[in-house]
Amino acid sequence: MSHPIIEADECIGCGICVEACPQEVLEVVDGVAEVVKEDACIACGDCEEECPMGAIPEIVED
């Protein structure tokens, strides 16, 4: 199983990562991106690549 690591203190809640994710894994909750469907992540890296703040430093594969 894979999922992005989100550094909440770096996230500005812009939602670009949410829009970039083809699997709808992420959602902006209370102004910060969160993983809401971890089991759907395909580790494509689109969210990590598109984040303008670098708040998603890696995709972890468990």
Side-chain angles (χ1 to χ4, degrees):
M1 194 178 305
S2 307
H3 63 89
I5 298 296
I6 300 169
E7 294 182 354
D9 58 330
E10 299 291 324
C11 178
I12 59 172
C14 65
I16 292 173
C17 61
V18 174
E19 293 176 25
C21 180
Q23 299 298 110
E24 299 179 355
V25 171
L26 304 170
E27 192 174 296
V28 175
V29 178
D30 295 327
V32 176
E34 289 187 13
V35 176
V36 293
K37 292 197 309 189
E38 182 177 315
D39 59 332
C41 182
I42 58 173
C44 66
D46 289 354
C47 61
E48 180 181 8
E49 208 172 285
E50 294 297 321
C51 178
M53 302 303 294
I56 305 174
E58 64 181 315
I59 306 291
V60 175
E61 294 192 41
D62 298 330

